Every structure is written in structure tokens, then in C-alpha cells.
Amino acid sequence: MNPSPVHALADAAPTPFWLDDPDRPDARPALVGDETCDLLVVGGGYSGLWTALIAKERDPERDVVLIEGAEIGWAASGRNGGFCAASLTHGLGNGMARWPGELIKLEELGIQNLDAIGEAVARYDIDCAFERTGEIDIATEPHQIAELKEAAEDAAGLGLDRHTFLDEDELRAQVDSPTFRAGLWDRDGVAMLNPARLAWGLKKACLGLGVRIYERTRATALASEGTGMAVRTPYGRVFARHVALGTNAFPSLVRRVRPYIVPVYDHALMTEPLTDEQLAAIGWKNRQGLADSNNHFHYFRITADNRILWGGYDIVYRYRGGVRAEYDHHPATYEKLARHFFRCFPQLEGLRFSHTWGGAIDTCSRFSAFFGTAHAGRVAYAAGYTGLGVGATRFGAEVMLDLLSGERTERTELEMVRSKPLPFPPEPLRWAGIGITQWSMTRADNHGGRRNLWLKAMDKVGLGFDS
């Protein structure tokens, strides 16, 4: 093995690059005592922040409180890859398989949602390096070329004109790697951004509209209280007419939701800034987000200061699905990612990594968010974004507020919103099933994409596992 990948990791800081920022805002004080409000939002990631912000935009008089167990944006919202996708369905293929009759509407709503995110970034002057450069799905194996051509035809059949198929020469004129064979460029459906700065900007916007935010305030219990709800915290309680839950990978306060979610661990590396010569060696002038087409895939993008974020591939599931800080780091995955990086970009030999990190994301068996209510409609939840929450959580916030209002809307009438994914089985079947699925996905990647009987059976019943 070439020693350069391990050497390149030697001085990397084991912390999310985005959160390692001198402008990181101080945490707000914790809640001590009791509070009352019209709407309580639980969770200070994108899901909760968008819900609080949109609630105040819809009704400036609404009294909104948001509580966060740690700090705003510290979890998946602050340490993801910074891909903000329009897709609400985890890609066209998944959407066509599950909601073919409403896919065009879902695509329209997804683009509207991405537009609205860009408008909010501008309106609230959020400094998060928002760049709507699109994303290229990349074929690195021969069978994937045909799959990308078919996806381009499917998109054209739906009237989506933002997708462009790139042959090998066209792709390598965009970004140059000897591993690239073809690509499908979604020119307008994905933006790149600094995820932590988006979260901090949404926090500032919420505060400016009068949302009361309490950090280091973990919700420990949820119960009915008269005509409203009561949420207990370590040092107090919040009494609210309605509650919106944006806890995602963490155990839901509505226990019946828990079987639908599996927390999985995703990991990423960040390089030091590239020199002008290194940039010239790989091209990448249009700064698109990139992802390869394997089952175990890599995602990678270039930052505002010309670093490369390289993440994905391994999907690490812990027995019983715990979410713990000690699970965040996985050195074997970091070394594997580093080897893969230099295989993709051998012209960057000698580049070093500045940061390594990982953490839990929420996945569900249909790979895209699901929604619901509890306690006679006084509590709403959205979860299961499976890696696309940077964009889709804003849509989920709109859905939760629609559900709490009790009104029928274009969103609440969607089959996607009215249906649920299949729940994951209990342990030890869950652990065994995920293990078999992971092995089968690796086997498919190594055998021309051919899916074995296990994966075909999972496809038939609508069960899946992804990150």
C-alpha cells in the first residue's frame, strides 16, 4: 500500500471542519424554570430552525420557543457535506419507484423549496457561501454509464430540462480524474453551502423575529397537559399549544416513531486548501458537487477556500442503533477514504487532510422523510431524511406546520406525506439484516451492479438501507 494516504492524515484535527470556525456563536442560556408558548420546537438543527422561522413568517404574533439539547447546529446540520439538494425523494430513481403518480409535483415542490432556501439566505443576509452550481453523478464503472443514460432519459420524459449527460471527455473537461467514465449533471437542482454557517444564520434570523431559543436544554419527556402539551427538561418545563419535533436521528419523544429510524454513521475528510497548480491539475472550474454511482458511494465538493471535502462510502451501523459521541470517529474508514481519494485524484499526491469527522444521520427504509402527528394533532414530527436533510428539512418544516394547523394543503395531500415507510425489525434481526444488506451492496458494486436475491427481495417489499 502506498504510505501517502496514512501520512496525509497524520496531522488532521478530529473535528468537523465547518464547526472549527472562529466565528462560531456562543450558545444561548439553558432554560431554568417554566415557559409557556403557542409553539414549542424541539431540536436546533435545520428541521427545528426552519420550523421556528417559518412559523414566525406565517404569523409574526405566534409565540415560538425552540429548545436544543446541545448547541444549535452541532450535530448533522453542522457537520454534513454542504450539499443542498432540491430532491425531496432521494433522487429521481427512488421517487419514480415509490411515487410515480406525483413525482412531477414533488420535483416542482423541491425546486420551489430550494428557491425559497436561496431567497431566505439572501433576505436574512446569511453568510454561508451559497453556490447553486448543481451536482454531477459520476459513473466509475461501465454498467453505471447505461444507468446514467437511462436516468437522463427518465428526467427528459418528466419534462425536467436541467439534467445533462456527459460522456467521458465532457466530464473530464469539468473535473479531471482517471476514474471518471461519464456523468449526469443536474445543473440547477443542487446548491453548495457552508452548513454550520447556514444553521447559525437561521438561528440569528429566528432570534430577530422573536423566537426564544434555549440551548443545552434537552427534552426528556412529552405529555398531554390540558388542551396542550408539556415537555420536561432537566431544569424546567415548557407548556405549549403545539409541539414540532425535529430530533431526527435521536430517539423520538413519540415512541411509536422510533422503529422507523435507524441512526447510521457517516464520515468525511477535508483537505488543506489546494494551490493554483493543484486546482489546474483537476480543473473543477464550475465547482459542482460530485458523487459517484456505487451503492457504497463517495460524495465530494470544493469549498469557498478551495479545499476538497471527501466523504461517504462506509455506512456504519452500531448494534441497537445508539447515538453516542464515541461512535463519531472511525479511523479505519478515514484511512479507506484517504486511499480512495488519491485513487480518484492521483495528481494531488502530497496533499494533506486538515480535518476528519463523523456522526449519526437518520435513515429510514424508503430513504426520504416521513411525517405524522400524535396527541390528537397537537404534536407533529418529520424524520428519515437519509442524508438529504440540508434542503428537504425546510419542506418538512412546512409540512409539520401544515399538519399542526389542521388544514388540508397541497403538501398534506401528497401520498408521500400521508404514507409511512416500513419499520425496521427489532434487534437482533435489524443488525443481521443490515449486515446482509451491506454485504450484498458491496457484492453488487463488485459484480457490475447485479443485485442478488436478497436485494431484489428488499426492493420488492420496499425495504432499503442507505446514507
Side-chain angles (χ1 to χ4, degrees):
M1 183 189 74
N2 189 322
S4 62
V6 175
H7 177 71
L9 291 164
D11 299 320
T15 190
F17 168 78
W18 310 111
L19 298 176
D20 188 13
D21 188 328
D23 295 326
R24 183 173 183 170
D26 293 333
R28 303 281 297 178
L31 173 65
V32 178
D34 291 348
E35 267 278 23
T36 61
C37 59
D38 297 322
L39 172 67
L40 170 65
V41 179
V42 179
Y46 297 140
S47 189
L49 291 164
W50 283 118
T51 302
L53 184 69
I54 295 170
K56 292 295 283 187
E57 289 177 338
R58 289 187 181 186
D59 180 4
E61 300 304 312
R62 184 180 297 181
D63 188 21
V64 179
V65 168
L66 183 150
I67 60 173
E68 161 56 43
E71 295 183 24
I72 296 295
W74 74 278
S77 295
R79 54 164 166 71
N80 58 75
F83 288 68
C84 186
S87 178
L88 305 175
T89 62
H90 211 276
L92 280 175
N94 193 52
M96 291 183 71
R98 298 181 187 279
W99 305 287
E102 61 186 29
L103 184 57
I104 293 176
K105 173 55 64 178
L106 288 168
E107 285 293 308
E108 292 173 353
L109 290 171
I111 287 291
Q112 292 171 16
N113 184 64
L114 183 56
D115 289 344
I117 292 172
E119 291 162 4
V121 166
R123 182 167 62 254
Y124 294 107
D125 194 24
I126 299 175
D127 178 16
C128 65
F130 187 90
E131 298 180 275
R132 197 153 171 178
T133 55
E135 179 183 13
I136 304 177
D137 290 329
I138 294 168
T140 58
E141 300 293 338
H143 72 274
Q144 296 167 0
I145 300 173
E147 292 171 358
L148 291 185
K149 287 182 177 178
E150 183 179 354
E153 293 169 358
D154 290 341
L158 292 169
L160 303 177
D161 58 3
R162 65 177 195 267
H163 296 77
T164 302
F165 179 81
L166 305 173
D167 64 24
E168 182 172 344
D169 290 340
E170 291 169 329
L171 173 59
R172 294 185 64 173
Q174 293 293 326
V175 188
D176 190 17
S177 165
T179 67
F180 291 177
R181 296 174 178 266
L184 182 61
W185 185 1
D186 181 347
R187 292 178 176 271
D188 191 49
V190 184
M192 301 294 106
L193 51 77
N194 180 316
R197 284 179 172 259
L198 174 61
W200 300 334
L202 292 174
K203 172 184 175 179
K204 182 178 179 181
C206 286
L207 291 170
L209 294 183
V211 177
R212 301 196 300 288
I213 295 177
Y214 297 95
E215 296 178 70
R216 305 195 185 285
T217 302
R218 185 170 64 91
T220 59
L222 169 74
S224 297
E225 180 78 21
T227 59
M229 301 300 301
V231 171
R232 185 170 294 279
T233 72
Y235 305 107
R237 294 171 298 176
V238 183
F239 300 96
R241 290 178 56 214
H242 294 116
V243 176
L245 300 178
T247 49
N248 298 332
F250 297 91
S252 177
L253 293 174
V254 178
R255 294 188 67 89
R256 69 170 182 266
V257 175
R258 295 182 184 181
Y260 294 103
I261 292 294
V262 164
V264 297
Y265 281 78
D266 183 53
H267 299 84
L269 313 177
M270 184 70 84
T271 73
E272 62 189 359
L274 274 64
T275 65
D276 291 343
E277 292 76 16
Q278 288 168 328
L279 276 173
I282 62 172
W284 215 342
K285 294 180 291 293
N286 290 311
R287 305 178 62 79
Q288 308 95 329
L290 306 175
D292 63 48
S293 301
N294 293 304
N295 290 307
H296 288 289
F297 63 94
H298 305 90
Y299 55 87
F300 40 122
R301 48 78 54 94
I302 197 161
T303 67
D305 61 347
N306 293 330
R307 300 168 184 263
I308 295 176
L309 183 150
W310 177 267
Y313 196 76
D314 282 345
I315 311 166
V316 182
Y317 173 71
R318 305 286 184 169
Y319 185 69
R320 297 192 183 278
V323 180
R324 300 177 185 174
E326 57 264 36
Y327 294 164
D328 287 353
H329 294 287
H330 202 238
T333 293
Y334 298 148
E335 292 184 15
K336 186 184 301 181
L337 286 171
R339 290 197 303 272
H340 295 175
F341 177 87
F342 289 111
R343 186 182 306 155
C344 180
F345 293 124
Q347 61 269 54
L348 297 181
E349 189 74 25
L351 190 67
R352 298 175 71 87
F353 297 102
S354 62
H355 295 75
T356 61
W357 71 92
I361 62 174
D362 60 327
T363 190
C364 70
S365 63
R366 71 184 194 188
F367 313 147
S368 54
F370 63 93
F371 315 90
T373 61
H375 293 274
R378 290 173 291 184
V379 175
Y381 56 84
Y385 292 97
T386 317
L388 288 191
V390 179
T393 45
R394 187 193 174 280
F395 175 81
E398 296 262 30
V399 171
M400 284 195 286
L401 292 170
D402 288 351
L403 292 172
L404 290 173
S405 76
E407 298 177 7
R408 295 175 61 178
T409 69
E410 182 179 44
R411 287 175 290 265
T412 62
E413 292 299 292
L414 292 167
E415 181 187 350
M416 176 188 177
V417 171
R418 292 185 287 108
S419 64
K420 293 283 194 302
L422 289 173
F424 290 99
E427 298 289 17
L429 294 177
R430 176 184 297 183
W431 181 85
I434 289 173
I436 295 170
T437 302
Q438 293 244 47
W439 176 84
S440 299
M441 291 165 65
T442 300
R443 186 179 185 280
D445 285 338
N446 294 332
H447 290 80
R450 293 188 294 275
R451 297 172 75 79
N452 63 13
L453 291 176
W454 176 268
L455 291 180
K456 289 178 180 178
M458 296 298 98
D459 293 341
K460 188 171 183 178
V461 300
L463 265 173
F465 181 73
D466 202 356
S467 69

